Amino acid sequence: MNKHYIDLHIHTTASDGTYSLEEVLKKYRKKGFLAIAITDHDTVAAFNEFSQDYYEKMRVIKGTEISCRYAGREVHILGYDIDYTNPQLLDLLSRIKDSRVVRAKKIISILQGLGIEIEYSDVLELVGSENIVGRPHIAQALVKKGVVTHQQQAFELYIGDKGVAYIPKLEVSPEEVIRTIQQANGFAVIAHPFKSINLEDIHYFKKYGIDGIETYYYDHTPEQIAQLENICRDMNLLSTGGSDFHGYGKREKVGSYTGNAKIIEDINKVLSIKIEVKNG
Ligand code: AMP
Ligand code: ZN
Ligand code: FE
Ligand code: FE
């Protein structure tokens, strides 16, 4: 099968990834990627260091992954090709960032209530340059303290969506997130839909102008992909795809996910600069 080398879902140390933007760019470029998108959780800070469209020959799409809530569940919306200096976008991201701090402190106090010796400062030590505090940082702190043996266990026992110390994030609506991304000249895509919504609910997102679905997520089965491809065709939505690379866990290897021609075709529909499809 031909490889197309496009990955539109990548985290850096600006949120909860383990590699800095520079390291990510080097690694993906070395693997021969044609295009990547940087999609840190609730921040666009990585682009303060790098604002060009290309890193050598690799197209670098400016993105973000914004958390919101729908039907009692957390939904992630990817924003692509955004103006990362847009004031409304920065305002929304700053509200979410502040709320993450409050939430992390609440999680820590629940953990303390369970008799676990952990302080907020233990978490803060692990947080990246932009102070986007995420559950992975809390999981890492719990590993470091020897409370759990690995991060996954921290999610299973404590901080996963069904865990005893789970606290949801700020109540931002999908409508606001989609509108804000589009106001910043970007397009909005539902990230990893099987993790967060019922597929029937895509109609709701469509009503608020969603542009696409992350059809080719790294762990989607062929059946799930086919299902999402059909929805995208019927509802006139774009299909995007990516690995959700964080630098650790199941996706620790750069380039373990290489995308496909359909993603390149769809992305070329919305980007003014074309990404050529190359085989190899
Ligand atoms: P947050 O944005 O702080 O809610 O953290 C979300 C991040 O935590 C996700 O992007 C994943 O990297 C990680 N995560 C969420 N649930 C789990 C889980 N059950 N196991 C491992 N990592 C998870
Ligand atoms: Zn993450
Ligand atoms: Fe996500
Ligand atoms: Fe992600």
Side-chain angles (χ1 to χ4, degrees):
M1 202 165 79
N2 291 332
K3 290 185 171 179
H4 296 286
Y5 291 103
I6 183 165
D7 185 343
L8 303 180
H9 194 152
I10 297 172
H11 296 269
T12 75
T13 46
S15 63
D16 56 0
T18 53
Y19 296 109
S20 67
L21 177 67
E22 202 187 332
E23 289 169 318
V24 164
L25 294 176
K26 271 196 193 136
K27 284 176 188 291
Y28 273 87
R29 177 62 199 137
K30 207 168 157 209
K31 283 272 176 179
F33 272 71
L34 296 174
I36 62 169
I38 303 297
T39 54
D40 276 307
H41 295 286
D42 308 320
T43 182
V44 289
F47 310 124
N48 296 335
E49 297 168 41
F50 183 89
S51 57
Q52 288 103 286
D53 281 334
Y54 282 86
Y55 175 80
E56 296 175 4
K57 284 185 179 155
M58 180 174 73
R59 177 81 161 98
V60 181
I61 298 163
K62 311 290 182 302
T64 180
E65 179 177 20
I66 307 182
S67 315
C68 59
R69 280 184 86 70
Y70 178 69
R73 294 171 79 184
E74 185 171 317
V75 183
H76 292 173
I77 310 268
L78 294 157
Y80 287 119
D81 209 23
I82 41 168
D83 167 10
Y84 60 92
T85 65
N86 177 275
Q88 284 95 339
L89 175 68
L90 293 175
D91 179 65
L92 173 65
L93 297 180
S94 136
R95 273 167 49 213
I96 298 177
K97 174 171 159 172
D98 293 347
S99 80
R100 278 178 167 277
V101 174
V102 176
R103 167 200 190 223
K105 287 180 176 165
K106 280 188 193 160
I107 293 176
I108 295 301
S109 82
I110 296 174
L111 293 173
Q112 288 168 340
L114 294 169
I116 295 167
E117 284 183 24
I118 186 168
E119 299 294 331
Y120 183 63
S121 59
D122 298 323
V123 178
L124 215 48
E125 268 174 28
L126 304 166
V127 169
S129 52
E130 301 309 317
N131 287 323
I132 299 287
V133 195
R135 284 180 288 162
H137 301 117
I138 300 175
Q140 281 167 47
L142 289 168
V143 173
K144 234 176 140 185
K145 289 255 151 193
V147 177
V148 291
T149 53
H150 53 274
Q151 288 197 41
Q152 187 61 37
Q153 197 180 24
F155 280 92
E156 281 158 19
L157 293 179
Y158 303 111
I159 58 174
D161 295 8
K162 295 189 174 68
V164 284
Y166 175 70
I167 298 277
K169 281 185 240 168
L170 189 70
E171 285 276 344
V172 179
S173 70
E175 184 187 353
E176 182 177 2
V177 171
I178 295 167
R179 189 181 59 234
T180 307
I181 288 168
Q182 292 172 345
Q183 261 173 9
N185 296 326
F187 59 100
V189 170
I190 305 172
H192 42 66
F194 289 102
K195 280 191 186 172
S196 56
I197 60 169
N198 297 318
L199 295 190
E200 307 85 73
D201 292 342
I202 291 171
H203 288 278
Y204 169 87
F205 291 80
K206 175 77 181 171
K207 189 168 129 199
Y208 288 110
I210 198 82
D211 298 290
I213 302 177
E214 192 174 42
T215 300
Y216 307 101
Y217 195 60
Y218 84 101
D219 73 350
H220 285 174
T221 63
E223 291 73 28
Q224 288 175 322
I225 290 175
Q227 215 177 345
L228 296 174
E229 279 178 336
N230 286 338
I231 292 173
C232 286
R233 194 195 52 232
D234 294 347
M235 296 178 76
N236 194 24
L237 295 169
L238 301 164
S239 281
T240 69
S243 67
D244 211 352
F245 179 69
H246 281 75
Y248 60 81
K250 285 181 220 156
R251 300 140 280 177
E252 77 196 277
K253 241 175 108 218
V254 170
S256 52
Y257 169 94
T258 51
N260 66 30
K262 178 70 169 61
I263 305 172
I264 296 177
E265 191 188 301
D266 269 10
I267 289 300
N268 279 339
K269 278 187 202 159
V270 285
L271 291 181
S272 51
I273 300 168
K274 300 281 182 193
I275 301 159
E276 277 180 71
V277 179
K278 270 195 278 182
N279 300 326

